Structures are given as structure tokens and as C-alpha cells.
Amino acid sequence: MRIKYIEKLYSNRMFKRGARRKRTLTGRQEAFLFNYLVMRQTATQAAYNAGYCPRYASQAAAQVLKSINVAAYIGAYYLEYWNSFTKGISVYSTMLNNRERAFVDYWLIYADAKKAAIKAGYKRRYAKQYGHELLQKPKMQKAILERIKSCDEKEMI
């Protein structure tokens, strides 16, 4: 009986080379995600409440969190949460500290990351590195775009 089951799996189109199979969550994984994301429990508590063995709940939680399909669900959940949280909020005014705001302003003036980092108050010795790292951050890129748009709107008035 086991051999027939395995043959059935391999004959299925989903398992042929190059084909992607749809990943679904088990009932325990769904319960774990509900407890972990919605109920805001720790991973160990969520694993215990989802029905994993109490003695090995922390190991089970670590294993579940490493699963690719669970990680995809967690990423989608936090992306949706982040988008709903930041909808209509300016990154420039809320998400940046004073030095990062100064860097954005000076970068718009000089268009040089090293010079902008020095003017913003970063150490001269590491200014080139800081400037490059800041420009790679998505929140800084979004803040620069917002700042450009706000400057354009002010000039239009």
C-alpha cells in the first residue's frame, strides 16, 4: 500500500521536474500562526497552544518558523500590516531620526552621499560608507522621493 502511495505521488504532475507545487499549511501550522501573529504570543507559547508537545514546544516553534511556507505567510502578514500602518504617513517626518532627515536634505542639495553625510553630522572618516549605506535603505529612498515631491509642490504654489 505504501509503494502505491509513493508511485501515485511521483506520477502526479506536481512532482515532475520543473513544476512547482502549491504549498499549503497544516492545521497545526495554521493554529501556530494564529497564536503567533494575531494573539501576539511567543513562539513557544504559540507552539504549545497549537498542539505541539509541551516538552519540545520551543524546538517545534523554531522548526515551524524555519519552514518556507510559514515564512511566506509571516512575510505577507507583516507586509500587509506595514502597508496599512504606513498608508498616508510620511516616511520623512515619522520614520527617520534627525540625522537621517538632515542627510536627505543635504543629499538633495549636493547630490553627493559623502558630502551629505558629513554635513548631516556623520564622522568624516566613515562618511562615504555611511552615505552609501543610507542610500541603500528603502526607507531612505522613499523619504528622498517624498521630499522631492514635496519640494516640487511647494515650488508650484
Side-chain angles (χ1 to χ4, degrees):
M1 184 172 161
R2 187 171 171 83
I3 295 172
K4 287 182 180 179
Y5 177 73
I6 293 171
E7 287 176 1
K8 184 180 176 184
L9 283 178
Y10 281 107
S11 66
N12 194 346
R13 242 179 96 183
M14 293 190 310
F15 288 95
K16 289 188 178 178
R17 179 179 257 172
R20 291 186 178 190
R21 62 187 171 111
K22 188 174 182 181
R23 296 177 188 253
T24 58
L25 296 176
T26 64
R28 277 188 183 174
Q29 288 174 336
E30 287 179 359
F32 173 82
L33 285 174
F34 175 77
N35 290 325
Y36 185 67
L37 297 174
V38 179
M39 301 302 288
R40 299 284 185 201
Q41 295 177 351
T42 65
T44 305
Q45 289 173 336
Y48 175 74
N49 291 333
Y52 290 96
C53 177
R55 185 173 181 181
Y56 300 107
S58 61
Q59 289 92 338
Q63 194 172 14
V64 169
L65 288 173
K66 286 181 184 176
S67 173
I68 294 172
N69 50 353
V70 170
Y73 274 85
I74 291 172
Y77 177 83
Y78 280 120
L79 182 64
E80 182 180 328
Y81 176 76
W82 176 256
N83 289 338
S84 67
F85 176 71
T86 60
K87 189 174 185 179
I89 297 176
S90 170
V91 172
Y92 178 80
S93 62
T94 58
M95 301 297 295
L96 303 181
N97 61 33
N98 292 337
R99 194 182 285 180
E100 289 172 338
R101 277 191 220 112
F103 175 81
V104 169
D105 293 336
Y106 285 120
W107 189 84
L108 291 174
I109 294 169
Y110 297 115
D112 180 20
K114 181 180 177 181
K115 202 179 270 189
I118 292 169
K119 290 282 190 178
Y122 290 96
K123 291 184 179 180
R124 185 177 293 272
R125 183 174 179 182
Y126 303 109
K128 188 175 180 181
Q129 179 182 350
Y130 287 140
H132 176 74
E133 288 176 3
L134 287 171
L135 288 176
Q136 299 303 314
K137 292 182 179 181
K139 71 175 184 179
M140 295 297 286
Q141 294 170 358
K142 191 172 180 182
I144 289 171
L145 291 174
E146 285 180 2
R147 192 74 172 135
I148 290 171
K149 288 179 184 177
S150 69
C151 290
D152 288 343
E153 289 173 2
K154 288 178 184 176
E155 287 178 7
M156 294 262 230
I157 295 175

